[in-house]
Amino acid sequence: MEEVLDNIYGSVLNGDAGGTTEYVQEAIEAGIPAETILNEGMISAMMEVGRLFEEGEAFVPEMLIAARAMQSGLSILRPLLVEADVEPVGRVVLGTVRGDMHDIGKNLVGMMLEGAGFEIHDLGVDVSADSFVSAVEEIGNVDVVGLSALLTTTMPEMRTVVDAFKRAEIYGEVKIMIGGAPVTSEYAESIGAHGCAKDASQAVTLAKSLTSGIA
Ligand code: B1M
């Protein structure tokens, strides 16, 4: 790993937002591709934070400051991940389900979809099933609803959202795509979601196939 990637990894791991900003800028100037900075520098550091948390060597405050550092790095990478002035290929409503505050993965999915030409309406975190339905009705012509969940305890909320779309009789008119670390394709199928993506780049592939009617 190049030294600057090591530095990004270390600064995210230690929750040093200023350092992360500085090193990400340095990496961009050194011509390192945005995807490499993201995957090797930042996401790998967040995986390590998760491992430390699991082993009782890091706690919520450490996760929180690492997340802040990652967000500060992402804000610099954003223009490179998102292409400006592209004609929308579809309209996506995105959010993290009720009870769940994790938004880094969801934000990344939003950026990559935006970069692929989708128009994104991000409802944020802790979004109730009814809020997803109302947003789709109010915005109009929505192609895909993207649900994110990072906790096994909030995953069941995805089924609640799917059921709310069925009750509102717009299930199928709008495709429901789910994702997040604990989510699987089997789970997606079992709750009636139209697909599951493992990461942000798969989310782009899936959203494209859902909007072109292939999936
Ligand atoms: Co929390 N947390 N957390 N956390 N956190 C996890 C998820 C955990 C796995 C850590 C661990 O134990 N190893 C664990 C969940 C265990 C479980 O349920 N199985 C956990 C826990 C337990 C908790 C709390 C309950 C801790 C507590 O309070 N005791 C609490 C819950 C709060 C709540 O939500 N109600 C909590 C809180 C937090 C913080 C607030 C401190 C912070 C979040 C800050 C934020 O998001 N703004 C936090 C963090 C940072 C993490 C870890 C360390 C990192 C998550 C992350 O950002 N990853 C995480 C450990 C881990 O994931 N290894 C952990 C980087 C991100 C790029 O990846 O989010 O997976 P990810 O997104 C990926 C894919 O999943 C996918 O694409 C993304 C990009 O590739 N994807 C989609 C995600 N959404 C998608 C949607 C799609 C498609 C793909 O379509 C729509």
Side-chain angles (χ1 to χ4, degrees), residues 43 46-47 49-51 53-54 60 63-64 67 70-71 94 99-106 108-109 146-148 150-153 177-181 197-200 203:
I43 292 185
M46 292 307 281
M47 299 306 287
V49 174
R51 192 192 65 76
F53 179 76
E54 236 166 71
V60 173
M63 284 207 285
L64 201 51
M70 170 128 186
Q71 301 273 24
L94 195 60
D100 202 320
M101 303 300 171
H102 295 87
D103 67 354
I104 296 176
K106 183 260 303 163
L108 211 44
V109 168
L147 310 177
S148 180
L150 263 285
L151 300 170
T152 42
T153 49
M177 164 170 101
I178 66 173
K198 194 170 70 52
D199 56 31

Side-chain angles (χ1 to χ4, degrees), residues 38-39 42-55 59-68 70-71 74 92-110 112-113 125-126 144-154 158 176-183 195-204 206:
L38 182 64
N39 292 320
M42 298 201 280
I43 292 185
S44 56
M46 292 307 281
M47 299 306 287
E48 178 61 6
V49 174
R51 192 192 65 76
L52 292 171
F53 179 76
E54 236 166 71
E55 309 218 326
F59 303 93
V60 173
E62 279 87 0
M63 284 207 285
L64 201 51
I65 57 168
R68 287 202 189 123
M70 170 128 186
Q71 301 273 24
L74 275 179
V92 179
V93 164
L94 195 60
T96 302
V97 298
R98 188 167 61 180
D100 202 320
M101 303 300 171
H102 295 87
D103 67 354
I104 296 176
K106 183 260 303 163
N107 294 345
L108 211 44
V109 168
M112 299 294 273
L113 286 172
V125 296
D126 192 20
V144 177
V145 172
L147 310 177
S148 180
L150 263 285
L151 300 170
T152 42
T153 49
T154 55
M158 292 174 150
I176 301 171
M177 164 170 101
I178 66 173
V183 177
C196 166
K198 194 170 70 52
D199 56 31
S201 79
Q202 271 194 18
V204 170
L206 178 60

Side-chain angles (χ1 to χ4, degrees), residues 114-189:
E114 208 177 340
F118 286 89
E119 180 185 307
I120 306 300
H121 296 263
D122 189 341
L123 306 184
V125 296
D126 192 20
V127 182
S128 71
D130 288 346
S131 302
F132 277 110
V133 172
S134 314
V136 166
E137 288 174 338
E138 279 159 25
I139 293 163
N141 295 325
V142 173
D143 301 291
V144 177
V145 172
L147 310 177
S148 180
L150 263 285
L151 300 170
T152 42
T153 49
T154 55
M155 258 172 73
E157 188 64 24
M158 292 174 150
R159 184 191 289 277
T160 309
V161 177
V162 172
D163 291 347
F165 276 95
K166 287 181 178 165
R167 266 199 315 280
E169 298 181 356
I170 47 175
Y171 173 77
E173 275 172 42
V174 56
K175 297 287 170 25
I176 301 171
M177 164 170 101
I178 66 173
V183 177
T184 61
S185 300
E186 292 73 33
Y187 180 69
E189 204 175 321

